[in-house]
Amino acid sequence: LVLIQSQAAPASRATGEHPVIDTGSLKDPVLPFLRGLSHLVAPRNFLDSWLARNAPHLTGGGDAVQLDAVANHFECEVFVVTEGARGGAVWHQGRAWRFPAHPTEVVDSNGAGDVFHGGLVWALAEGHQLDLAIATAAWAAAMKCEGMANTTLPTARDAERFLAQNRTPRRSSIA
């Protein structure tokens, strides 16, 4: 697994790695790099913008149908949509589920998405199942939000302690 910026995806795929893309809003120059990824992680505005442009008939539909449409379009194994304090949604192997945000007192959310991505990649690289990796990523993002700038970034040791105490992540199915 490799966390990369969108423009580096072709090189990662060529070496047989499983890239996890850290993408933001929908931008045309980035789209060719997103097809066939292992994991596509994007904020909710990416999903909403893609649907409005490519599948407007789904904009009022449920999350499961929307996630399925994007995941199939980009041919990714896992599609994660982050929604800040609302948690987010995951599509994996044809099934969709929601995950909660980790409870926290927010001081500064700037960079929380980047920390989410880093926590996800770390947990997956450590061999954790997707639901635990998502819970770890949400926890890491919440820890970052508890302080200004990078003063509360969690370490790998912090993440290991979190995982030792949280073996059953909360999630709910999406119809």
Side-chain angles (χ1 to χ4, degrees):
L1 292 166
V2 180
L3 176 64
I4 58 176
Q5 293 299 327
S6 300
Q7 62 271 23
S12 291
R13 287 192 299 252
T15 62
E17 295 170 337
H18 300 280
V20 176
I21 290 292
D22 179 0
T23 192
S25 59
L26 186 68
K27 296 179 182 124
D28 287 335
V30 173
L31 296 178
F33 302 110
L34 302 182
R35 189 170 300 280
L37 294 172
S38 175
H39 296 66
L40 173 58
V41 183
R44 181 69 197 207
N45 68 337
F46 176 95
L47 173 64
D48 293 341
S49 297
W50 187 91
L51 289 168
R53 180 188 291 184
N54 299 289
H57 61 287
L58 296 179
T59 56
D63 279 346
V65 173
Q66 294 174 349
L67 294 168
D68 188 63
V70 175
N72 284 309
H73 174 80
F74 289 111
E75 302 170 1
C76 55
E77 296 173 31
V78 176
F79 179 44
V80 180
V81 175
T82 59
E83 299 174 351
R86 291 186 53 217
V90 177
W91 180 94
H92 179 232
Q93 296 178 340
R95 302 187 81 200
W97 46 275
R98 293 200 59 78
F99 63 91
H102 190 81
T104 193
E105 297 271 336
V106 176
V107 173
D108 176 16
S109 64
N110 190 32
D114 293 328
V115 175
F116 180 95
H117 294 270
L120 177 65
V121 170
W122 176 85
L124 291 171
E126 290 292 310
H128 296 287
Q129 296 295 320
L130 180 61
D131 56 353
L132 279 175
I134 293 287
T136 302
W139 165 82
M143 295 303 96
K144 183 272 162 259
C145 291
E146 290 184 356
M148 289 301 297
N150 294 333
T151 60
T152 54
L153 289 176
T155 65
R157 177 173 277 166
D158 295 332
E160 289 165 355
R161 281 194 293 270
F162 168 79
L163 282 164
Q165 297 170 0
N166 296 277
R167 301 309 298 167
T168 308
R170 294 181 302 141
R171 70 185 214 181
S172 58
S173 296
I174 301 174

